[in-house]
Amino acid sequence: MEGWLKWYNNDFQAALELFQTVYKYRLENLDKNENHPDIAECYNALGITYMKLNDKKTGIEYGHKSLDLMRRIFGENHIKVATQEYNLGWTYDVDQ
């Protein structure tokens, strides 16, 4: 939650650090199971934050990781998959 507060206040570097910490924490507490919705959410947060930090390549990589994981977990016809498709589309549209 604190990461999103930083993000919405345009403190993207602080948000990135918090999102990375949350990712590591969740991964440890999920017994290193990366096939979990919480991990997909972390990838999404990391991806859009890297975009805000002008690292489009890394942002897109995390966006694809999130989308691929969401599809494996939820299938194609789920709102979380649609939301991630939107977010990934936004990353391709930035600065165009």
Side-chain angles (χ1 to χ4, degrees):
M1 182 64 103
E2 187 178 345
W4 288 113
L5 291 173
K6 298 289 185 185
W7 196 92
Y8 284 112
N9 284 305
N10 297 319
D11 190 354
F12 302 116
Q13 188 60 48
L16 179 65
E17 292 167 12
L18 288 165
F19 291 144
Q20 289 169 331
T21 300
V22 168
Y23 168 74
K24 291 174 190 171
Y25 175 81
R26 286 182 176 173
L27 194 57
E28 287 175 14
N29 286 290
L30 295 170
D31 297 321
K32 310 232 182 300
N33 177 13
E34 290 206 27
N35 293 314
H36 193 280
D38 288 350
I39 299 300
E41 294 289 343
C42 287
Y43 289 152
N44 175 58
L46 289 165
I48 63 174
T49 304
Y50 274 110
M51 291 300 299
K52 288 292 194 173
L53 290 168
N54 297 315
D55 186 347
K56 188 172 184 175
K57 181 178 182 241
T58 304
I60 288 171
E61 288 173 6
Y62 274 104
H64 278 287
K65 286 176 84 165
S66 179
L67 180 58
D68 293 343
L69 185 51
M70 294 264 191
R71 284 179 173 156
R72 282 198 308 270
I73 294 167
F74 298 113
E76 289 291 328
N77 297 315
H78 193 279
I79 188 68
K80 289 187 179 270
V81 173
T83 300
Q84 186 53 33
E85 288 172 338
Y86 172 84
N87 289 342
L88 190 55
W90 172 80
T91 61
Y92 279 102
D93 191 46
V94 170
D95 296 329
Q96 290 188 14

